[in-house]
Amino acid sequence: MRVSKNPEDRKTEILNAAEMLFTAKGYSETTVNDILREVGIAKGTFYYYFQSKEEVMDAIVQRFIDKGVEAAKAIAADPSLKATEKLFQIIMGQRPDADGQKEQMIEELHQVNNPEMHQKSLVETILQLTPVLTEVIEQGIREGVFQTPYPKETVEFLLVSSQFLLDEGIFQWEPQEQIQKVLALTHIIETTLGAERGSFAYILGMYNNEKEGKSDE
Amino acid sequence: MRVSKNPEDRKTEILNAAEMLFTAKGYSETTVNDILREVGIAKGTFYYYFQSKEEVMDAIVQRFIDKGVEAAKAIAADPSLKATEKLFQIIMGQRPDADGQKEQMIEELHQVNNPEMHQKSLVETILQLTPVLTEVIEQGIREGVFQTPYPKETVEFLLVSSQFLLDEGIFQWEPQEQIQKVLALTHIIETTLGAERGSFAYILGMYNNEKEGKSDE
DNA sequence: GTCTATAAGCGGATAGAC
DNA sequence: GTCTATCCGCTTATAGAC
């Protein structure tokens, strides 16, 4: 039986099935045949829509990143937040009151055992987040709380180091080391941006409380 | 005809052949059969020594990193160099008077089209370089030229950002952007380490001269 | 323990018929 | 657009020689 569908729908169908399988079993453990079975199509159809299994992964990553960048843009556009708060929230990937569903997806995708997908996702995120954050820094410079001759490059350096160094899939730090690194990063953010010492200290307190479980329950 | 060899020699033989082929044709374009033909062994022998083609890749990367770390240790141990010089040379991967053969190997390995190998190599390098550089920083602190409450973490931060951000295989920057990033990194090194502004300026001059071709020829 | 030879399985990718 | 058939490369298995 041959069923023709709207190309976009078919593509989305494949992506959804693949995403489910990739997150459940991992990328390399998922075969193209698995995807075919799940969607109910033949191999030729799959390769009509995607050039390779990897291209499917790329599309999923892209879909996923778009959501994260949107969240960051929302934070950046929030007029009630100070530049320091925006910065810290975006860099730490903290979205205090965003809907919780996305967070789960991030968790899952991070744990997918696939260095390649992982790296691509980090790189794309950094590239897309850079202009957003640079704008925040320049806002901070105008407000007089930040000061640096290299706003864009500093953002890139901070993003790269926080995304890669604090990523649990790339480096495996002990919980204690992780805390130490967040402390250090806070200090480094302050110094590289020429912010007043302690600008991020109170935000850091919030971050730690969330991570270590609430003490007031 | 059967030839028995010292296991270590055999292993090295396979690694050498594989490294040559990987750098010549790329990892995925090199088949296990290619390696067998080159070394002159049977398939069973290959899989007797290595569990997979990827394991061969890992071993090559490891061999390669060990050399780089040795070079860094040599720089760190050189009593004629100041802490600032040691730091900059190691972070920029500059070995001014080391034998030039290694540099070529770096180029080649960087171009092998394999993100996973690449990432592993960077992570390993960072992990092994951290203690070496941390010692240099602490030397600098004792000498009074550096000042930071987080020497180790700052080293990690600088290594991660320089290794990943300046890596041509991960981000593809225009030459001009690349230069801008090196300038910014220099500034960031100075501020994060609490060094005097301009401490690295003269070293930076050396770096640029080398990269852009000599003007006095 | 080291090595050869061969065959077969599996998964990604392609060609070409419908 | 969709399918079936097929290829190619990594990997495993087997059986046996030195």
Side-chain angles (χ1 to χ4, degrees):
Chain A
M1 184 185 62
R2 287 169 88 97
V3 185
S4 261
K5 289 201 180 176
N6 177 324
E8 275 315 303
D9 291 354
R10 181 64 92 192
K11 208 159 181 171
T12 307
E13 213 176 11
I14 295 173
L15 288 179
N16 290 340
E19 178 175 328
M20 198 205 68
L21 290 166
F22 288 173
T23 25
K25 319 201 311 179
Y27 174 76
S28 42
E29 281 65 41
T30 302
T31 72
V32 171
N33 281 324
D34 289 340
I35 302 173
L36 308 182
R37 209 175 306 124
E38 186 69 27
V39 185
I41 55 172
K43 203 161 253 189
T45 309
F46 176 89
Y47 281 99
Y48 175 78
Y49 284 101
F50 296 95
Q51 295 214 352
S52 65
K53 185 180 153 188
E54 192 183 343
E55 199 179 286
V56 174
M57 177 182 84
D58 283 352
I60 294 172
V61 168
Q62 199 53 54
R63 229 169 42 161
F64 159 72
I65 288 172
D66 289 346
K67 292 185 189 169
V69 173
E70 268 175 50
K73 282 184 180 164
I75 294 174
D78 187 335
S80 77
L81 294 176
K82 292 181 203 157
T84 49
E85 287 172 298
K86 291 179 183 177
L87 178 75
F88 196 82
Q89 282 184 20
I90 293 174
I91 284 195
M92 289 301 175
Q94 291 287 100
R95 280 157 301 264
D97 43 14
D99 65 309
Q101 295 159 359
K102 284 175 192 165
E103 310 229 339
Q104 210 176 358
M105 263 193 59
I106 297 173
E107 278 299 310
E108 283 165 357
L109 257 172
H110 260 223
Q111 281 167 11
V112 173
N113 180 32
N114 187 294
E116 190 159 357
M117 171 155 103
H118 202 152
Q119 183 173 310
K120 272 185 189 154
S121 122
L122 293 179
V123 168
E124 263 309 302
T125 303
I126 290 164
L127 290 177
Q128 297 203 32
L129 240 39
T130 297
V132 179
L133 265 181
T134 303
E135 184 44 50
V136 172
I137 301 305
E138 279 162 354
Q139 175 199 331
I141 292 177
R142 287 193 299 273
E143 291 175 358
V145 294
F146 296 149
Q147 172 194 351
T148 167
Y150 301 100
K152 177 158 155 278
E153 285 76 15
T154 304
V155 162
E156 282 166 347
F157 280 105
L158 291 175
L159 278 174
V160 167
S161 47
S162 59
Q163 294 277 114
F164 282 92
L165 189 62
L166 298 182
D167 189 291
E168 296 181 7
I170 296 179
F171 293 91
Q172 281 88 36
W173 307 116
E174 298 296 320
Q176 197 210 339
E177 292 175 307
Q178 185 88 11
I179 293 172
Q180 185 72 4
K181 282 180 213 321
V182 173
L183 282 174
L185 178 59
T186 307
H187 178 253
I188 287 168
I189 294 176
E190 285 172 5
T191 54
T192 52
L193 292 177
E196 205 168 307
R197 177 115 201 225
S199 312
F200 294 104
Y202 77 98
I203 305 179
L204 194 60
M206 286 164 43
Y207 176 80
N208 282 334
N209 284 342
E210 283 187 29
K211 284 280 167 183
E212 295 172 8
K214 298 121 187 175
S215 49
D216 55 345
E217 221 178 13
Chain B
M1 181 188 64
R2 266 187 46 92
V3 186
S4 250
K5 291 198 181 178
N6 178 325
E8 275 315 303
D9 291 354
R10 180 66 91 190
K11 209 159 182 172
T12 306
E13 213 175 13
I14 295 173
L15 288 178
N16 289 342
E19 179 176 327
M20 200 204 67
L21 289 165
F22 287 171
T23 34
K25 317 202 312 179
Y27 174 75
S28 42
E29 281 64 41
T30 303
T31 71
V32 172
N33 281 323
D34 289 340
I35 301 174
L36 308 183
R37 208 176 307 123
E38 185 69 27
V39 185
I41 54 172
K43 205 162 257 191
T45 310
F46 177 89
Y47 282 99
Y48 176 77
Y49 282 101
F50 296 95
Q51 294 213 349
S52 66
K53 185 179 155 187
E54 193 184 340
E55 199 179 286
V56 175
M57 176 183 86
D58 283 351
I60 293 172
V61 169
Q62 198 53 54
R63 227 170 43 160
F64 162 71
I65 289 172
D66 289 346
K67 288 187 191 169
V69 172
E70 267 175 50
K73 282 185 180 164
I75 294 174
D78 187 336
S80 77
L81 294 175
K82 292 182 203 155
T84 50
E85 289 173 299
K86 291 179 183 178
L87 178 73
F88 196 81
Q89 282 184 21
I90 293 174
I91 283 194
M92 290 301 175
Q94 291 289 100
R95 282 156 298 263
D97 43 13
D99 62 311
Q101 298 158 356
K102 285 175 192 165
E103 309 231 339
Q104 210 178 357
M105 263 193 58
I106 296 174
E107 279 301 311
E108 285 166 354
L109 256 173
H110 262 222
Q111 281 166 11
V112 174
N113 181 31
N114 189 301
E116 186 161 358
M117 167 157 100
H118 203 151
Q119 182 172 309
K120 273 184 195 163
S121 119
L122 294 179
V123 169
E124 262 309 302
T125 303
I126 290 165
L127 290 178
Q128 296 202 33
L129 241 39
T130 297
V132 179
L133 266 180
T134 303
E135 183 45 49
V136 172
I137 302 304
E138 280 164 354
Q139 174 199 331
I141 293 177
R142 286 193 299 274
E143 292 174 359
V145 294
F146 296 148
Q147 172 194 349
T148 167
Y150 301 100
K152 176 156 155 278
E153 286 76 17
T154 304
V155 162
E156 282 166 346
F157 164 85
L158 292 173
L159 278 174
V160 167
S161 46
S162 59
Q163 293 280 347
F164 281 93
L165 188 62
L166 299 181
D167 188 292
E168 296 180 9
I170 297 179
F171 294 91
Q172 280 89 38
W173 307 115
E174 298 297 319
Q176 197 208 342
E177 292 175 308
Q178 185 88 11
I179 293 172
Q180 185 70 4
K181 282 179 213 321
V182 173
L183 282 173
L185 180 58
T186 307
H187 179 252
I188 288 170
I189 294 176
E190 285 171 5
T191 54
T192 52
L193 291 178
E196 206 169 305
R197 179 120 197 217
S199 312
F200 293 105
Y202 77 100
I203 305 179
L204 196 58
M206 286 165 43
Y207 176 79
N208 282 335
N209 284 343
E210 284 188 30
K211 283 279 168 184
E212 294 171 10
K214 297 122 188 176
S215 50
D216 54 346
E217 222 178 12

